[in-house]
């Protein structure tokens, strides 16, 4: 009898700054969701951006290990996988599912939009231009981004915290003007090729999930199940940041940080094993955790 391979969960930090207690809490939750369902757990360094740094990534991995998070396989580094993104971009182009976009951010903000067009959606300026118009845009010398030619305006994902969530799908960027594969493309390709079928992350990314799941569908990948967990906010209700005070593991120490995380979740435990035994997704706090650094 062959046993079906277990799926996998993951944590995918961007190495632009040290992880703070909010990031660590999200990582702990991703680990708990994966391990409590018999899944593997994978680590991915999302270092495609030029603001990311190797030494920061190494420190992030060390902090995650120090807090008790374990992972299977070697961490994957997006910057070492450029060919896989390029191959998918080539495939989408060959299927007529992408187009060049010459718009600047200002062009997009200033573009006329249909009365009910959703906030933040690309207005489609470059979607149906003629070849002559495209040639004129090329003349300007601005290197084009590549956008998806989406055939829907919305898509529904299954989220363990938010239920069925329907959100905007627009002609989002697949490859930036500087040639770097866009986050929304890379994340979909990496999750699928690594067998990740459970995506647990901060709820600031909930609105991106319909775009990502729609793209996964176009590429024939399975749909992951999502859990977008509440973020950690500072005393002013804003997203926690380094300038808020003692927020990193180096500043707090492992046992204080772990204690704060378990306390915020309402599951007292002194290590990850005990936390796993207490973990119940139905009891997950639904409100942001307000963290006031000491
Ligand atoms: N790298 C992203 C971040 O640090 C997370 C991406 C994801 O989990 O899909 O915000």
């Amino acid at each position: 009898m062959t046993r079906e391979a277990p799926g996998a969960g993951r944590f995918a930090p961007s190495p632009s700054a040290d992880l703070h207690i909010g990031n660590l809490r999200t990582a702990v939750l991703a680990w708990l969701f994966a391990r409590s369902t018999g899944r593997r757990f994978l680590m991915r360094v999302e270092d495609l951006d030029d603001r990311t740094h190797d030494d920061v990534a190494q420190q992030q991995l060390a902090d995650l290990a120090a807090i008790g998070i374990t992972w299977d396989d070697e961490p994957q580094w997006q910057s070492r996988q450029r060919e896989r993104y390029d191959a998918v971009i080539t495939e989408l182009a060959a299927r007529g599912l992408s187009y060049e976009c010459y718009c600047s951010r200002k062009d997009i903000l200033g573009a006329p939009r249909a009365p009910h067009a959703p906030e933040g959606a690309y207005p489609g300026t470059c979607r149906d231009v003629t070849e002559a118009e495209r040639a004129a845009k090329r003349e300007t010398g601005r290197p084009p981004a590549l956008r998806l030619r989406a055939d829907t305006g919305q898509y529904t994902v299954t989220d363990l915290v938010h239920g069925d969530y329907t959100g905007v799908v627009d002609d989002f960027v697949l490859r930036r003007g500087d040639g770097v594969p866009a986050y929304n493309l890379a994340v979909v390709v990496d999750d699928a090729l690594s067998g990740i079928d459970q995506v647990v992350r901060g709820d600031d990314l909930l609105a991106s999930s319909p775009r990502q799941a729609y793209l996964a569908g176009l590429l024939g990948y399975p749909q992951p199940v999502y859990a977008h967990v509440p973020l950690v906010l500072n005393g002013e209700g804003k997203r926690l940041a380094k300038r808020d005070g003692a927020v990193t593991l180096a500043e707090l120490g492992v046992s204080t940080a772990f204690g704060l995380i378990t306390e915020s979740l309402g599951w007292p435990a002194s290590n990850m094993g005990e936390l796993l035994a207490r973990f119940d997704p139905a009891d997950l706090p639904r409100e942001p955790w307000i963290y006031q650094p000491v």
Side-chain angles (χ1 to χ4, degrees):
M1 198 178 92
T2 52
R3 268 189 62 203
E4 225 174 285
R10 47 59 154 200
F11 187 62
S14 301
S16 49
D18 285 341
L19 296 174
H20 60 56
I21 186 135
N23 309 129
L24 291 166
R25 183 184 192 251
T26 300
V28 165
L29 284 170
W31 185 91
L32 290 169
F33 270 97
R35 295 299 194 210
S36 64
T37 51
R39 285 180 165 84
R40 289 154 40 79
F41 194 65
L42 304 175
M43 208 49 87
R44 180 167 73 235
V45 179
E46 300 212 319
D47 62 339
L48 286 177
D49 213 284
D50 54 12
R51 284 166 301 184
T52 63
H53 304 284
D54 268 21
D55 51 338
V56 177
Q58 297 294 1
Q59 188 59 51
Q60 290 183 333
L61 294 172
D63 286 357
L64 292 161
I67 204 112
I69 290 175
T70 53
W71 53 90
D72 304 291
D73 304 347
E74 286 297 309
Q76 223 173 57
W77 297 66
Q78 285 189 324
S79 59
R80 300 176 194 163
Q81 315 270 4
R82 285 290 289 267
E83 317 76 53
R84 61 161 61 164
Y85 314 122
D86 292 343
V88 170
I89 289 167
T90 305
E91 177 199 325
L92 289 167
R95 290 168 58 192
L97 291 175
S98 64
Y99 62 87
E100 289 175 0
C101 171
Y102 292 84
C103 295
S104 64
R105 200 176 288 271
K106 208 162 133 226
D107 294 336
I108 295 173
L109 288 174
R113 44 179 65 242
H116 300 295
E119 195 70 26
Y122 178 63
T125 319
C126 290
R127 182 174 167 126
D128 294 316
V129 296
T130 62
E131 261 321 304
E133 286 166 328
R134 202 177 304 284
K137 284 176 188 277
R138 276 194 192 127
E139 292 283 292
T140 64
R142 164 192 275 278
L146 210 58
R147 286 184 180 275
L148 180 70
R149 190 179 287 281
D151 68 357
T152 185
Q154 58 176 42
Y155 197 74
T156 302
V157 299
T158 305
D159 189 287
L160 299 173
V161 178
H162 298 266
D164 280 353
Y165 172 80
T166 302
V168 173
V169 175
D170 62 350
D171 287 354
F172 58 87
V173 173
L174 301 170
R175 192 183 62 207
R176 302 179 341 197
D178 61 5
V180 176
Y183 157 68
N184 278 321
L185 176 103
V187 80
V188 167
V189 174
D190 285 334
D191 283 347
L193 298 194
S194 303
I196 287 161
D197 62 349
Q198 182 193 59
V199 172
V200 179
R201 56 189 178 187
D203 60 12
D204 53 330
L205 289 169
L206 177 65
S208 305
S209 58
R211 289 181 176 91
Q212 295 171 8
Y214 171 73
L215 178 59
L218 282 181
L219 293 167
Y221 300 155
Q223 302 279 298
V225 63
Y226 295 91
H228 287 91
V229 301
L231 282 185
V232 179
L233 306 178
N234 67 16
E236 288 159 26
K238 301 223 175 75
R239 192 194 287 230
L240 192 68
K242 189 131 175 58
R243 63 178 170 280
D244 289 320
V247 292
T248 64
L249 208 58
E251 290 160 335
L252 292 167
V254 174
S255 71
T256 302
F258 190 77
L260 287 166
I261 291 171
T262 54
E263 195 183 310
S264 81
L265 293 170
W267 302 312
S270 56
N271 57 52
M272 290 293 275
E274 283 177 29
L275 195 56
L276 182 58
R278 288 176 185 268
F279 173 65
D280 180 354
D283 278 354
L284 181 72
R286 302 292 158 125
E287 297 301 317
W289 174 34
I290 309 293
Y291 177 68
Q292 313 251 27
V294 278

